[in-house]
Amino acid sequence: MKQAILANIILATVGLAVSAHAQEEIRIGLVEPLTGSVAYNGNSVVEGAKLAIAEVNAVGGILGKQVRLIVEDGQCKPANSVNAVEKLVQKDKVAVLVGAFCSSATAAIMPVAQKYKIPLVTGVSSKADLTEQSNPYFFRAAETDALMARAFAKILAKDLKLTSVAYIGVNDDWGRGGVEEFARDLSGLGVKKALVEYFDHGTTDFYTLLAKLRAAKPDGIFVAAETQDGSILVKQIRQMGLNTKVFGVGSWATPDFINLTGEAAEGIHAAVPYASSMDTPRNQAFVKKYETQYKTKPGKYGAAGYNAMNIVTAAIARAGSTDPEAIREALHKTRYEAPNGVYEFTKKGQAYGFEAVLVRIEGKEPKVIASTPVAMH
């Protein structure tokens, strides 16, 4: 009995300590894949987020308090991401949630955010139907697969002279969504579908899949993949002597992908919401700060973390408190000037107004060959 009483006293003391700290600082919870095959990209989001928080705290924080970022590893797995959110909400008492990278993981935590009535912002997850689920606490500060296909399919078909395309994607909501959206729009332009194949996260041997691709004889290969999987796939495409044009969505324009893939990355086309080569004064300033901090240029995921965190902290400042409902209302009034354009939200929580670009990897740099603003739908 004495031990039970002592345990209750300890838990109550810990709870009081957490509550006291929560009053002294503003806490934001971030769920990203820090381990596993998407860790390269998740850690880039964290880098961008930390840079934004450091800038906010350097000028006094928000509402007179310092901002503390609490990061959890969701591994891009729905169950792990849900557990991470439960911990951030119940134990850490965060005011806002940001995450969870993979669309399937974000879809899993959306109901949890709604259950606790805490705003959730993703800077990455691009499966189009996430903002069609009538979840008033969810905001997406990112492009959708449907938008990228609609914006760039015609340019790709014309510039790459595509007549038939093989579609390869990672076997999750995002990979399947990207394949479906680009296949639909390219087919509408008369480009034949030569092959559709999916692979699991963490795959290291693509040779069986590539043997099927060789037999299909497409003149273009669309790929939806992140850094680790994508770099291995592209290198094995070239090792098999396949000189087919490669294009796609994912981490293609990031320094991590280009460094890992080496010469095999040259000539790849990528549709992305951000590239370090975007020629605007605001982006040049961001690239300089990021390079100073991390000794590398930012990719789309570093920019995504930076933008999401600036959007969230500005909303808390406008709300004038950490009340979740006030923050949710303030998010709808967002007008954030980012390195890649201006972000605003629709009533459904979908961001619009910022720029998306089509790049080609040349000399280890992403060269912008077309751009378009993300319109409101």
Side-chain angles (χ1 to χ4, degrees):
M1 176 62 79
K2 287 183 177 179
Q3 289 179 330
I5 293 172
L6 181 60
N8 287 335
I9 292 173
I10 292 172
L11 283 173
T13 304
V14 171
L16 286 172
V18 169
S19 179
H21 282 300
Q23 292 174 2
E24 295 168 359
E25 61 191 14
I26 293 174
R27 297 180 173 187
I28 298 173
L30 177 62
V31 180
E32 294 295 328
L34 308 181
T35 55
S37 66
V38 202
Y40 276 108
N41 311 121
N43 282 296
S44 293
V45 175
V46 174
E47 286 181 352
K50 287 183 174 178
L51 181 60
I53 295 299
E55 290 179 356
V56 169
N57 284 335
V59 294
I62 313 172
L63 310 177
K65 299 178 182 179
Q66 291 288 285
V67 179
R68 180 183 169 195
L69 184 65
I70 303 176
V71 184
E72 292 292 331
D73 182 7
Q75 299 182 331
C76 260
K77 296 178 180 177
N80 297 47
S81 300
V82 167
N83 290 339
V85 167
E86 290 283 358
K87 183 258 183 184
L88 288 167
V89 173
Q90 295 198 47
K91 180 183 176 184
D92 298 317
K93 310 296 183 187
V94 299
V96 187
L97 294 160
V98 177
F101 199 95
C102 293
S103 292
S104 52
T106 300
I109 67 171
M110 286 171 60
V112 185
Q114 187 170 14
K115 177 179 72 175
Y116 290 113
K117 298 184 177 180
I118 292 181
L120 164 64
V121 177
T122 181
V124 177
S125 304
S126 58
K127 191 164 189 291
D129 65 4
L130 291 178
T131 45
E132 301 298 324
Q133 298 180 17
S134 302
N135 186 329
Y137 294 89
F138 179 65
F139 296 81
R140 171 168 35 211
E143 78 290 0
T144 69
D145 303 319
L147 166 87
M148 301 305 269
R150 200 159 43 238
F152 297 123
K154 191 172 183 179
I155 297 171
L156 285 163
K158 180 181 178 182
D159 287 6
L160 301 184
K161 297 179 173 57
L162 300 174
T163 60
S164 66
V165 167
Y167 297 88
I168 301 173
V170 65
N171 190 22
D172 64 12
D173 286 349
W174 169 71
R176 289 190 294 274
V179 166
E180 290 167 6
E181 299 290 353
F182 271 85
R184 182 196 61 213
D185 283 28
L186 286 171
S187 295
L189 296 167
V191 180
K192 294 179 181 177
K193 188 190 299 180
L195 175 77
V196 176
E197 288 284 333
Y198 295 102
F199 61 87
D200 292 330
H201 281 286
T203 296
T204 57
D205 185 344
F206 291 94
Y207 291 110
T208 301
L209 185 157
L210 294 178
K212 295 179 185 176
L213 189 147
R214 185 199 293 275
K217 298 180 179 179
D219 53 22
I221 306 171
F222 169 87
V223 181
E226 299 298 358
T227 296
Q228 180 176 310
D229 298 334
S231 64
I232 295 171
L233 172 59
V234 169
K235 284 194 287 189
Q236 291 183 7
I237 287 174
R238 298 311 183 210
Q239 286 168 3
M240 286 190 68
L242 297 169
N243 293 319
T244 314
K245 302 150 192 165
V246 178
F247 63 99
V249 293
S251 59
W252 307 103
T254 65
D256 282 339
F257 171 79
I258 294 171
N259 290 334
L260 282 171
T261 310
E263 292 184 0
E266 291 294 306
I268 286 178
H269 287 68
V272 291
Y274 173 82
S276 59
S277 51
M278 295 173 80
D279 190 17
T280 67
R282 192 174 295 277
N283 186 45
Q284 290 168 357
F286 171 60
V287 171
K288 185 177 181 180
K289 287 186 288 189
Y290 199 97
E291 275 193 296
T292 299
Q293 184 68 29
Y294 299 115
K295 313 305 178 191
T296 184
K297 292 180 180 177
K300 61 177 278 188
Y301 299 119
Y306 183 80
N307 288 341
M309 216 48 66
N310 274 314
I311 287 170
V312 164
T313 53
I316 296 171
R318 279 196 303 278
S321 77
T322 54
D323 175 68
E325 286 301 324
I327 296 171
R328 187 175 71 84
E329 291 178 11
L331 279 167
H332 277 295
K333 298 174 183 175
T334 291
R335 195 177 189 286
Y336 163 59
E337 295 186 12
N340 54 331
V342 178
Y343 283 69
E344 298 182 69
F345 287 113
T346 67
K347 291 180 179 178
K348 293 181 178 179
Q350 172 60 50
Y352 67 94
F354 58 98
E355 292 285 320
V357 292
L358 182 67
V359 302
R360 182 171 55 240
I361 309 303
E362 291 184 5
K364 298 184 177 181
E365 293 289 336
K367 179 182 178 182
V368 176
I369 58 176
S371 66
T372 183
V374 176
M376 180 170 60
H377 292 280

